[in-house]
Amino acid sequence: GYEMTLDEINAVSDGYLKDLLKQPFMRMKKRVEEFTSPVPVGRLLAFAKADNKPVKTVEFLQEALKKFDSKPIPSVTQIGDVKVGGTV
């Protein structure tokens, strides 16, 4: 099989994310759990909300995003009380 590099996994296209949302829940869940960056997960969540996806899907993506909150995101810089970058 073809192995994706971490850069490829994290630099996912909007088209790929939208296709992922059309997949059966368990398949989409497995793919999301392979992401190593919160960025595609946040974008996926935005698409899920925009497309009125089932609550189960939206809640799963919100939980998946929370898992990244516990990890430091190097691209986030603190300016006063305002975080810049990294968040969706």
Side-chain angles (χ1 to χ4, degrees), residues 19-34:
D19 284 346
L20 199 52
L21 282 174
K22 294 173 189 164
Q23 299 291 321
F25 180 77
M26 293 311 291
R27 187 178 300 165
M28 182 271 301
K29 183 176 187 280
K30 185 175 181 292
R31 285 276 183 273
V32 170
E33 286 167 349
E34 292 168 0

Side-chain angles (χ1 to χ4, degrees), residues 6 15 39 53 58 60 86-87:
L6 283 181
V39 177
K53 291 295 175 189
V58 172
F60 163 70
T87 52

Side-chain angles (χ1 to χ4, degrees), residues 39-58:
V39 177
V41 181
R43 284 166 49 214
L44 202 53
L45 178 60
F47 290 138
K49 287 179 176 176
D51 290 346
N52 292 315
K53 291 295 175 189
V55 171
K56 177 171 82 166
T57 301
V58 172

